[in-house]
Amino acid sequence: MNFIKIARIAAVAGFFTISLNISTSIVASSEEHASIIVKEAWARARTGKAKVGGAYMIVHNRGREDDRLISVRSNIAERTEIHTTNMTDGVMKMLRLKEGVDVKAGGTIMLEPGSYHVMLLGLKEPVIEGKKFPVTLVFKKAGEIEVMVFVKKAGAMGTMDHSKMKHKKMN
Amino acid sequence: MNKIFAYAIALLVLVGLTATVLIVTGVIPSANKSSRSGIISGAPQIGGEFSLVNNKGKSVTEKDFQGKMMLVFFGYTFCPDVCPTEMQTFSQVMTELGVDAEEVIPVFITVDPARDTVEVMDEFVAAFHPSIVGLTGSEEQIIHVKKQYRAYGQKVEGEDKEYYLVDHTSFTYLMGKDGQLATVFSYGTTTDEMIKKIRELL
């Protein structure tokens, strides 16, 4: 009797642990697409008048085949594009990557400040800290994967608060 | 013949060594030493007069910043990547400077005055730190201030009329209390490095 009880509790606890983990790393939309894992999707809060925004995330290809992130979609903006930031001779240039980004088998692409990012052009609603919104990533082989983007403060540098200011409660 | 040649070489080596020793020990001032006091010597004049509009709609000139150090960054509010990153750095510098923050005014100058109106600038800078001053102005005023700072800002011409991108200088200029350029920080300079430099100039 006791053994079954313990087993049940363990199973429930295990389930919660797993689902907690999954809620931060986003699951692929279907089983066969599970070769691509997208996690830690976040965006910076933008003010009410801001027309553009950027979203960041980590894309990992744990499959055996190379893949390519070919496009991105969202309902929060009129247009959603893949961009990168290049610095040449001290000049910052943002570039649209029309061909997308390669994600090699076993490789990881970091969409992060100063590098690759999902560019949201023509924001339809303000991107407010604490809110979240979905973005769909389209891969050449893995197909479509929807991720939930969590909005951090305007100057956030990642999903973790790296600033040396007092740590606020994490949401 | 060989002997004379050898003596000549020896003499030259001796003269060279003596000169080196004298320079190293400081008897003869070297050209390098005198310029060490200025961080960038021989660089073109950076900074100077300008006339712009702050994020509260007030006309300002370089005189409004006199007696304070200035951290100057050129960018635009439609830039979602690099500019918020640099504003975050400014915000951290100001927070960590504590009381010394009184001596510094962080300034964000737009290279995109057509879209960066006073209201847009005010919202943008306020999202990072209350001390950051956003400066905009007419096309001519912005062209002038860019020239003064040797800064670059060029709209990318393309099919996109509304959401165009603007290439821009990524440096942050630290201007001394005298309005002269103290140093230039490249993009990615840490807050600690900026704070160290600012404290040296206090």
Side-chain angles (χ1 to χ4, degrees):
Chain A
M1 275 302 272
N2 261 349
F3 176 73
I4 294 169
K5 239 185 198 171
I6 291 165
R8 255 192 212 155
I9 293 166
V12 170
F15 176 76
F16 271 114
T17 320
I18 291 164
S19 55
L20 265 176
N21 284 333
I22 291 172
S23 67
T24 49
S25 61
I26 286 94
V27 214
S29 51
S30 71
E31 276 303 306
E32 69 238 281
H33 297 158
S35 60
I36 297 280
I37 304 283
V38 183
K39 54 184 183 175
E40 290 175 38
W42 65 282
R44 284 170 172 162
R46 297 294 278 171
T47 59
K49 289 192 175 65
K51 301 257 174 46
V52 299
Y56 306 96
M57 59 204 69
I58 300 168
V59 178
H60 177 60
N61 182 356
R62 61 175 185 183
R64 289 189 176 167
E65 279 185 276
D66 293 349
D67 207 338
R68 170 172 276 263
L69 171 63
I70 45 176
S71 66
V72 281
R73 278 203 318 265
S74 80
N75 286 326
I76 202 167
E78 282 171 30
R79 283 184 5 235
T80 309
E81 299 172 348
I82 307 163
H83 280 226
T84 191
T85 301
N86 270 0
M87 195 172 85
T88 328
D89 299 330
V91 173
M92 277 293 173
K93 280 175 192 284
M94 257 204 288
L95 295 171
R96 181 183 173 191
L97 300 172
K98 287 185 182 167
E99 307 297 319
V101 186
D102 279 331
V103 193
K104 296 258 183 257
T108 301
I109 298 292
M110 306 287 287
L111 281 78
E112 59 189 357
S115 178
Y116 297 120
H117 51 278
V118 171
M119 183 86 172
L120 306 160
L121 299 133
L123 287 172
K124 294 175 191 166
E125 50 188 280
V127 181
I128 298 161
E129 185 180 352
K131 273 183 66 168
K132 57 182 188 228
F133 61 89
V135 165
T136 302
L137 308 185
V138 185
F139 292 88
K140 196 176 174 190
K141 288 179 188 146
E144 297 190 358
I145 296 174
E146 189 180 88
V147 298
M148 204 46 90
V149 176
F150 292 85
V151 184
K152 306 289 169 187
K153 63 179 180 164
M157 289 304 289
T159 45
M160 303 294 284
D161 190 359
H162 291 299
S163 69
K164 291 174 197 159
M165 282 173 276
K166 275 169 254 145
H167 276 277
K168 283 179 193 161
K169 195 177 72 181
M170 294 284 242
N171 289 318
Chain B
M1 273 299 273
N2 268 346
K3 243 184 192 174
I4 292 170
F5 187 64
Y7 279 132
I9 295 287
L11 189 68
L12 278 174
V13 168
L14 196 66
V15 167
L17 277 176
T18 315
T20 309
V21 166
L22 287 178
I23 288 169
V24 168
T25 53
V27 176
I28 299 173
S30 88
N32 275 333
K33 250 186 185 164
S34 57
S35 66
R36 224 172 257 172
S37 53
I39 289 149
I40 293 175
S41 65
Q45 181 72 35
I46 286 176
E49 53 84 26
F50 61 78
S51 173
L52 295 162
V53 181
N54 73 12
N55 54 306
K56 297 298 173 196
K58 187 175 166 267
S59 291
V60 293
T61 69
E62 78 290 348
K63 292 192 179 70
D64 292 284
F65 300 89
Q66 251 171 19
K68 302 270 186 192
M69 278 180 240
M70 269 201 285
L71 271 174
V72 181
F73 184 77
F74 287 83
Y76 65 117
T77 74
F78 271 61
C79 150
D81 188 46
V82 168
C83 304
T85 301
E86 202 56 24
M87 288 307 101
Q88 175 61 18
T89 304
F90 277 19
S91 165
Q92 276 188 30
V93 166
M94 294 309 282
T95 304
E96 288 173 31
L97 272 174
V99 284
D100 295 336
E102 296 274 314
E103 305 302 316
V104 185
I105 305 176
V107 181
F108 178 79
I109 304 178
T110 183
V111 291
D112 183 21
R115 292 184 299 188
D116 285 339
T117 61
V118 168
E119 294 75 27
V120 170
M121 291 292 277
D122 194 39
E123 257 195 12
F124 180 78
V125 294
F128 297 96
H129 199 272
S131 66
I132 302 173
V133 175
L135 297 179
T136 186
S138 65
E139 287 284 345
E140 293 72 33
Q141 286 176 319
I142 295 297
I143 289 169
H144 180 72
V145 73
K146 280 194 295 189
K147 214 176 265 174
Q148 292 286 70
Y149 280 85
R150 317 263 156 177
Y152 176 82
Q154 185 62 52
K155 185 174 153 182
V156 180
E157 296 295 344
E159 65 264 46
D160 211 328
K161 295 285 167 255
E162 202 178 355
Y163 306 120
Y164 57 84
L165 303 172
V166 187
D167 296 343
H168 61 92
T169 307
S170 60
F171 304 128
T172 290
Y173 305 85
L174 176 63
M175 309 303 287
K177 290 183 181 182
D178 55 359
Q180 301 290 312
L181 178 73
T183 195
V184 177
F185 298 118
S186 59
Y187 179 74
T189 301
T190 63
T191 52
D192 289 346
E193 283 173 70
M194 287 195 189
I195 289 165
K196 187 170 167 262
K197 192 75 224 170
I198 289 167
R199 290 233 157 99
E200 277 173 25
L201 294 172
L202 280 172

Coordinates of all heavy atoms in Angstrom, one line a residue, chain B residues 142-172:
Chain B
I142 N 20.7 67.9 -36.8 CA 21.3 66.6 -36.6 C 22.5 66.4 -37.5 O 23.6 65.8 -37.0 CB 20.2 65.5 -36.8 CG1 19.1 65.5 -35.8 CG2 20.9 64.1 -36.8 CD1 19.5 65.3 -34.3
I143 N 22.4 66.8 -38.7 CA 23.6 66.7 -39.6 C 24.8 67.5 -39.0 O 25.9 67.0 -38.9 CB 23.3 67.3 -41.0 CG1 22.3 66.3 -41.7 CG2 24.5 67.5 -41.8 CD1 21.7 66.9 -43.0
H144 N 24.5 68.6 -38.4 CA 25.6 69.4 -37.8 C 26.2 68.7 -36.6 O 27.4 68.6 -36.5 CB 25.0 70.8 -37.4 CG 26.0 71.7 -36.7 ND1 27.0 72.3 -37.5 CD2 26.2 72.0 -35.4 CE1 27.8 73.0 -36.6 NE2 27.4 72.8 -35.4
V145 N 25.4 68.2 -35.7 CA 26.0 67.6 -34.5 C 26.7 66.3 -34.9 O 27.7 66.0 -34.3 CB 24.9 67.3 -33.4 CG1 23.9 66.2 -33.7 CG2 25.6 67.0 -32.1
K146 N 26.2 65.6 -35.9 CA 27.0 64.4 -36.4 C 28.3 64.8 -36.9 O 29.3 64.1 -36.6 CB 26.2 63.7 -37.5 CG 25.0 62.8 -37.0 CD 24.5 61.9 -38.1 CE 23.9 62.6 -39.3 NZ 23.2 61.7 -40.3
K147 N 28.4 65.9 -37.6 CA 29.7 66.4 -38.1 C 30.6 66.8 -37.0 O 31.8 66.4 -37.0 CB 29.4 67.6 -39.0 CG 30.3 67.8 -40.2 CD 29.9 68.9 -41.1 CE 29.1 68.5 -42.2 NZ 28.6 69.7 -43.0
Q148 N 30.0 67.4 -36.0 CA 30.8 67.9 -34.8 C 31.5 66.7 -34.1 O 32.6 66.8 -33.6 CB 30.0 68.6 -33.8 CG 29.4 69.9 -34.3 CD 30.5 71.0 -34.3 OE1 31.4 70.9 -35.1 NE2 30.4 71.9 -33.4
Y149 N 30.8 65.6 -34.0 CA 31.3 64.4 -33.3 C 31.9 63.4 -34.3 O 32.2 62.3 -33.9 CB 30.1 63.8 -32.5 CG 29.9 64.5 -31.2 CD1 29.1 65.6 -31.1 CD2 30.5 64.1 -30.0 CE1 28.9 66.3 -29.9 CE2 30.4 64.7 -28.8 CZ 29.5 65.8 -28.8 OH 29.4 66.5 -27.6
R150 N 32.0 63.7 -35.5 CA 32.5 62.8 -36.6 C 31.7 61.5 -36.5 O 32.2 60.4 -36.6 CB 34.0 62.4 -36.4 CG 34.8 63.6 -36.1 CD 35.5 64.2 -37.3 NE 35.8 65.6 -37.0 CZ 36.5 66.4 -37.8 NH1 36.8 65.9 -39.0 NH2 36.7 67.6 -37.5
A151 N 30.4 61.6 -36.2 CA 29.5 60.4 -36.1 C 28.9 60.2 -37.4 O 28.7 61.1 -38.3 CB 28.5 60.6 -35.0
Y152 N 28.5 58.9 -37.6 CA 27.9 58.5 -38.9 C 26.5 58.0 -38.6 O 26.2 57.4 -37.6 CB 28.8 57.4 -39.4 CG 28.2 56.7 -40.7 CD1 28.5 57.3 -41.9 CD2 27.5 55.6 -40.7 CE1 28.0 56.8 -43.1 CE2 27.0 55.0 -41.8 CZ 27.3 55.6 -43.0 OH 26.8 55.0 -44.2
G153 N 25.6 58.4 -39.4 CA 24.2 57.9 -39.3 C 23.6 58.0 -40.7 O 23.5 59.1 -41.2
Q154 N 23.3 56.9 -41.3 CA 22.8 56.9 -42.7 C 21.6 56.0 -42.8 O 21.7 54.8 -42.6 CB 23.9 56.5 -43.6 CG 23.6 56.6 -45.1 CD 23.2 58.0 -45.5 OE1 24.0 59.0 -45.3 NE2 22.1 58.2 -46.1
K155 N 20.5 56.6 -43.3 CA 19.3 55.8 -43.5 C 19.6 54.8 -44.6 O 20.2 55.1 -45.6 CB 18.2 56.8 -43.9 CG 16.9 56.2 -44.2 CD 15.9 57.4 -44.4 CE 14.7 56.9 -45.3 NZ 13.8 58.0 -45.6
V156 N 19.1 53.6 -44.4 CA 19.3 52.5 -45.4 C 18.1 52.7 -46.4 O 17.0 52.4 -46.1 CB 19.3 51.1 -44.8 CG1 19.5 50.0 -45.9 CG2 20.4 51.0 -43.8
E157 N 18.5 53.0 -47.6 CA 17.4 53.2 -48.7 C 17.0 51.8 -49.1 O 17.8 51.0 -49.5 CB 17.9 54.0 -49.8 CG 18.3 55.5 -49.5 CD 17.2 56.4 -49.0 OE1 16.0 56.0 -49.3 OE2 17.4 57.4 -48.4
G158 N 15.7 51.6 -49.1 CA 15.2 50.3 -49.6 C 13.7 50.4 -49.9 O 13.2 51.5 -49.9
E159 N 13.1 49.3 -50.0 CA 11.7 49.3 -50.3 C 10.8 49.7 -49.1 O 9.7 50.1 -49.3 CB 11.2 47.9 -50.8 CG 11.3 46.8 -49.8 CD 12.6 46.0 -49.8 OE1 13.7 46.6 -50.0 OE2 12.6 44.8 -49.7
D160 N 11.5 49.6 -48.0 CA 10.7 49.9 -46.7 C 10.7 51.4 -46.4 O 11.7 52.0 -46.0 CB 11.4 49.1 -45.6 CG 10.4 48.7 -44.6 OD1 9.4 49.5 -44.3 OD2 10.6 47.7 -44.0
K161 N 9.6 52.0 -46.6 CA 9.5 53.5 -46.3 C 9.2 53.8 -44.9 O 9.6 54.8 -44.4 CB 8.4 54.1 -47.2 CG 8.6 54.0 -48.7 CD 9.7 55.0 -49.1 CE 10.2 54.7 -50.5 NZ 11.5 54.1 -50.6
E162 N 8.5 52.9 -44.2 CA 8.1 53.2 -42.8 C 9.0 52.6 -41.8 O 9.3 53.3 -40.8 CB 6.7 52.6 -42.6 CG 5.9 53.3 -41.5 CD 4.5 52.8 -41.3 OE1 4.1 52.0 -42.1 OE2 3.9 53.2 -40.3
Y163 N 9.5 51.4 -42.0 CA 10.3 50.7 -41.0 C 11.8 50.6 -41.5 O 12.4 49.6 -41.4 CB 9.7 49.4 -40.7 CG 8.3 49.4 -40.3 CD1 7.3 48.8 -40.9 CD2 8.0 50.3 -39.2 CE1 6.0 48.9 -40.5 CE2 6.6 50.4 -38.8 CZ 5.7 49.7 -39.5 OH 4.4 49.8 -39.1
Y164 N 12.3 51.7 -42.1 CA 13.6 51.7 -42.6 C 14.6 51.6 -41.5 O 14.3 51.9 -40.3 CB 13.9 52.9 -43.5 CG 13.7 54.2 -42.8 CD1 14.7 54.8 -41.9 CD2 12.5 54.9 -42.9 CE1 14.5 56.0 -41.3 CE2 12.3 56.1 -42.3 CZ 13.2 56.7 -41.5 OH 13.0 57.9 -40.8
L165 N 15.8 51.1 -41.8 CA 16.8 50.9 -40.8 C 17.8 52.1 -41.0 O 17.9 52.7 -42.0 CB 17.5 49.6 -41.0 CG 16.6 48.3 -40.9 CD1 17.4 47.1 -41.3 CD2 16.1 48.2 -39.5
V166 N 18.6 52.3 -39.9 CA 19.6 53.4 -40.0 C 20.9 52.8 -39.5 O 21.0 52.3 -38.4 CB 19.2 54.6 -39.2 CG1 20.2 55.8 -39.4 CG2 17.8 55.1 -39.5
D167 N 21.9 52.9 -40.4 CA 23.3 52.5 -39.9 C 23.8 53.6 -39.1 O 23.6 54.8 -39.4 CB 24.2 52.3 -41.1 CG 23.8 51.2 -42.0 OD1 22.9 50.4 -41.6 OD2 24.2 51.1 -43.2
H168 N 24.5 53.3 -38.0 CA 25.0 54.4 -37.2 C 26.3 54.0 -36.4 O 26.5 52.8 -36.2 CB 24.0 54.9 -36.2 CG 23.5 53.9 -35.3 ND1 24.0 53.7 -34.0 CD2 22.5 52.9 -35.4 CE1 23.4 52.7 -33.4 NE2 22.5 52.2 -34.2
T169 N 27.0 55.1 -36.1 CA 28.2 54.9 -35.3 C 27.9 54.2 -34.0 O 26.9 54.5 -33.4 CB 28.8 56.3 -34.9 OG1 28.9 57.0 -36.1 CG2 30.1 56.2 -34.2
S170 N 28.7 53.3 -33.5 CA 28.4 52.5 -32.3 C 29.3 53.0 -31.1 O 29.2 52.4 -30.1 CB 28.6 51.0 -32.6 OG 30.0 50.8 -32.9
F171 N 30.1 54.0 -31.3 CA 30.9 54.5 -30.2 C 30.1 55.2 -29.2 O 29.1 55.8 -29.4 CB 32.0 55.4 -30.7 CG 32.9 54.9 -31.8 CD1 33.0 55.6 -33.0 CD2 33.5 53.7 -31.7 CE1 33.8 55.1 -34.0 CE2 34.3 53.2 -32.7 CZ 34.5 53.9 -33.9
T172 N 30.7 55.3 -28.0 CA 30.2 56.2 -26.9 C 31.3 57.1 -26.6 O 32.5 56.7 -26.4 CB 29.8 55.4 -25.7 OG1 28.6 54.6 -26.0 CG2 29.5 56.3 -24.5

